[in-house]
Each structure stands twice: as structure tokens, then as C-alpha cells.
Amino acid sequence: MAARCMDRPFLLMQEQQSNPKKGKVYLVGAGPGDPGLITMRGRYLLEKAEVLVYDYLASKRLLRYVPANARFVYAGKRGGVKHTHTQEEINQMLVDFALEGKTVVRLKGGDPFIFGRGGEEVETLARNNIEFEVVPGVTSATAAATYAGIPITHRGYTASVAFITGHEDPTKESSNIDWSKIATGIGTIVVYMGIKNLPNIVSNLIDHGRSPDTPVAVVRWASTPEQKSVVGTLATIANIVADAGIKPPALIVIGEVVNLRDTIDWFEKRELFGKRIIVTRTREQASELVASLEENGASCYECATINIEPVEDYYILDEALERIDEYHWVLFTSLNGVKYFFRRLFEKGLDARDLKGPDIGVVGKSTADLLLEYGINADLIPPVFTGEGLAESLLDQGVEGRNVLIPRAVEGRELLPETLRGGGAQVTIAPIYQNVPPEGRRDELRAELESGEVDMVTFTSSSTVRNFLTMVDAADQEELERLMAGVNIAAIGPITAKTVTDSGLKVDVQPERHTIEAMVEEIIGFYHS
Ligand code: SAH
């Protein structure tokens, strides 16, 4: 027995020496921009990454899948702009992380092996005996064409397609591209990295026999809400691109298939396409509104205006919980009210069974749904989902002499408690959480507003309005109006709208039903009326 115990540390040491954790590098295609276009394998690997080395073109939205304690390395590389790391440095970095035993994900825009220098990266890994795997991605050429409404091949138009780089100067003597063959030998031609050389590329194709009338589309930031596309012919496109100020990253799609765009265009036809919308929200709130707006084509800037934090001292709630059976009603006016109430209840070793005495009322359907998750079926949901609605429903039942407990935010509205007190109830307000404006995002928000590109700001509660104004931090009313000039405002309901108008701003969109779905419908209606 004793001998076996002594053996073990030795065995362990041996194992460790002969079998240290080996690092591995995964070259993963991020897809063209829309984060939904990464492969399932790619996403799985992001979730397993210990080190992430990512590019300028890889969607930043994919970073959320990487564990927060992973090491994030931005490798940069953006045509024409100073590179953050040279290609050699990146190659070496991948080797070094792998030698440290790390699981490394090298995330690259589009497909790693299509003009992505992925080949060079894995060559270096192979030379250094590092294990690797390559996960293909949706390349930007197919995405740009598809999202611009162009089928890259089509039986009636073309049987061949070529992907070429426009990076090299087509006027140079020893070009790697045989323009005479490309010009007339291929149906659809897609050019990567060709914006700077566009005038040379088109004249080269024309000089080598392609008709100047061949249709051409240029697509920038394909598959993202910022996508911009223009259409012309080989003869006209260079001027059109220059006039529209289109800069990289963009792709050039050349060929008769471009004509199909008139019929097939679907992405840019979505109802909120091109609209820039600031969505103010609490950090905890699910981004349902953002998802729905983006589904309809809007480009959203998510602005967390509120952090929800627990109060430092729960003494009022604690006292109420000691004699909870003396209460006739417990009322929840927000999701966070439910969440923080139960958090405290559990901390005190209690649970839903201890709430069998009082009836439970909620302000609306989602609060009722959340409550159900904690094992409680609400006794009262008002027909109108507001504090007023809840107050009225209770008054209808009669509250004379009733004990009512309202667990809620420190800075909640007084309407409900006051109305109930007016009806003869004893009301205890138990503040259990507070809204705190987050630090540090002010400059970003100001820059958004100063850019003049924002079409709308949405507010889903009075606190989002108040905290937005705190964050904007306008010197005076005049500055606020200047920043908000041309920016429409959507408010989810009458209370939120009133907080907006009280600040001197105007509400343009206010749905009748106070739900995210109704709000999005109303926003679409607003832009199409
Ligand atoms: N490996 C990448 C290409 C990298 S080369 C892929 O498979 O897509 C960089 C060039 O790709 C850019 O100059 C641009 O021409 C093109 N590109 C990448 N993403 C793009 C996007 N979202 N929209 C338009 N062009 C894009």
C-alpha cells in the first residue's frame, strides 16, 4: 500500500514529461461579416479557444463566443493602413502559443485559404511540427454576390466563375494573372482587393476583349448592416465607385449575372435596411429588440445605459419576509423586481413555499412568465400592462385595510403605492435593486451622435431615457437639440414617452401595445408612411 502511494507521484511526473498538453492551432473561417455565417465547427472551436488571434475582417460579434478568460490578440492587417503585426510575426505567434500548449483559434475573415494567407500560416505550423486543423468559411465573394441579389452562376448566363485578386497592379509587366484569358474565357469574374486598382482592372478587361457594356456590381461590407452596393458597366463603374466614395473592403462582381439583381435583390430591400438605430438597454436585458430590428435590416448600436445592481441593504425586505403571512398582496412591477426578490429569498434559506399566504400581482405578461419559472402562478395580471393598469385592477377588487408589499427599484414610480394608499391600503415599498449608469461609454455614444448618421434612438423605460441623457451629458438644451437633430425617437409606452418629452425632446414612434414586437412594427410603419 505504502509503496503504491509512493509510486504515484513518480508515475504522474513521468506522464507529464512524456505527455505534456500539446497545443494545437485551428485556422477558422469567420465568414464574410454576418456572424450567422460562421460554420458550426467554427463556433464550437471559438467556445474552446484559450487563445484567439483575430483579423480586421472577422466579425467582432463572434468574439462573444470565446471564453472571457481566453487571451484575445488582434492581428490587424487592413489594406492601406499600418499593420498591427506583420505576417511573419503572426506566423511566429501561432507557433509560440501552440508550444505553450494552448488551444489556439486563428480566426480569419471569409475562408482562410482564399486570399487570406492561411496557406502561409499553416506552412509555418507544419514546418514547426505543430498540429493544426483548417475550418473553411463562407468566402466574401459568394456572400457579396448573394447579398447583393446576384447568383454567382446561372444556367442561362454563365458556366464558369473566377476569383482573382485585384491587389497586384495590372499594368505591371510580370502579372500573375493572364488577363487575356480571364477577360473572355470566364463567365463571372469576382475581384478581391481591387478597389484601388479598379480603373486599371476595367481597362485591362476591355483591352483584352470583354465588352465595355458588361454589367458590374461593387459591394462593400457585404452581408453586414453597413452593406453598400453600386452597379454599372465596365465602362462606367470606376466613376460610379469614385462618386459614391466606396472604399475597401469591397468586391467587384463582373458578368451578365449582375443583371439578375433587379429581380433577386433581397437583402437591401428589407424594410429597415440602411437605418442606423441606437438601442438603449440595460446590460442585463436580452437583446430581443436589437435582434428583431436587425432581422429587418437595421444597423444597431447597442448602448447599455443602465447597470442593474443589488441594494447594499435589504432590511425592509428582510423585515417583511419575517412576517410575510401578514401581507395580503405582493406586487411585482418589473422583471428585475422578481429576480432580486427571489435572490434574497433564497439567500435567507426560504423558497416559493413560504409565499403561500399573500396573493401575487404582476404588471404584465413577461413578469408573470418569469414568476412562473420560480414556481409561482400570478394571481393577478391586469388587462393593461402598466402600473396604472395594475393599480386599477386592485382598486376594483378593493384594497381597504389590505397589507401590500412592493419589492422594486430604489428609483421606482410612486403612482402605484400612492393610488393604493388612496384606496386605504397599507403599502410597504422594499427597494431591492438600483439602476446605475455604466462608466466609460460616453465618448463612443457622443461620437455616434456627432457622426450625423443615426436615424433613431429607442427607449424601453424611463430609466433608459434618464441614463441616456446622463451619458450624452449635453452642456445645455441647445447642445442636446443639436446632437439629436434629425434623430427620431421611439418610446415603448406612455410613461417612457413622457420622460422623453419632459426632457424637451419629441417622440416620433410609440406603439399602442407595449411590447418589443409592436415597437418594431411601429418603427417599420414610421419609415414607410
Ligand atoms: N479570406 C477572405 C478574403 C481576404 S482578402 C475571404 O475569403 O473572403 C480581403 C478582401 O476580401 C477585401 O479587400 C475585400 O475585397 C474582400 N472582402 C472581405 N470581406 C468582405 C466584405 N464583407 N465585403 C466586401 N468585401 C470583402
Side-chain angles (χ1 to χ4, degrees), residues 32 57 109-111 114-116 139-140 192-193 219-222 249-251:
L57 284 173
D111 182 280
I114 299 186
F115 302 124
T139 190
S140 53
Y192 291 70
M193 298 174 278
V219 190
R220 180 170 200 247
W221 281 126
L251 280 156

Side-chain angles (χ1 to χ4, degrees), residues 6-20:
M6 298 259 303
D7 277 356
R8 289 192 75 195
F10 174 68
L11 258 177
L12 253 171
M13 243 172 64
Q14 247 193 350
E15 265 171 33
Q16 269 170 7
Q17 271 172 2
S18 62
N19 194 13

Side-chain angles (χ1 to χ4, degrees), residues 92-105:
Q92 191 56 46
M93 183 159 39
L94 298 178
V95 171
D96 292 345
F97 283 131
L99 288 176
E100 281 174 30
K102 296 281 191 276
T103 299
V104 185
V105 171

Side-chain angles (χ1 to χ4, degrees), residues 23-27 50-56 71-77 83-108 120-122 124-125 127-128 130-131:
K24 183 164 176 181
V25 178
Y26 296 88
L27 223 68
E50 290 171 312
V51 179
L52 176 81
V53 183
Y54 64 102
D55 273 3
Y56 170 62
R71 182 152 170 202
F72 291 74
V73 182
Y74 177 57
K77 300 249 277 147
H83 290 178
T84 313
H85 293 278
T86 64
Q87 188 61 48
E88 289 64 37
E89 281 167 356
I90 296 171
N91 297 353
Q92 191 56 46
M93 183 159 39
L94 298 178
V95 171
D96 292 345
F97 283 131
L99 288 176
E100 281 174 30
K102 296 281 191 276
T103 299
V104 185
V105 171
R106 169 73 175 116
L107 187 67
K108 296 175 74 73
E120 291 158 60
E121 292 178 13
V122 290
T124 311
L125 295 172
R127 265 201 308 278
N128 286 276
I130 308 281
E131 238 189 288

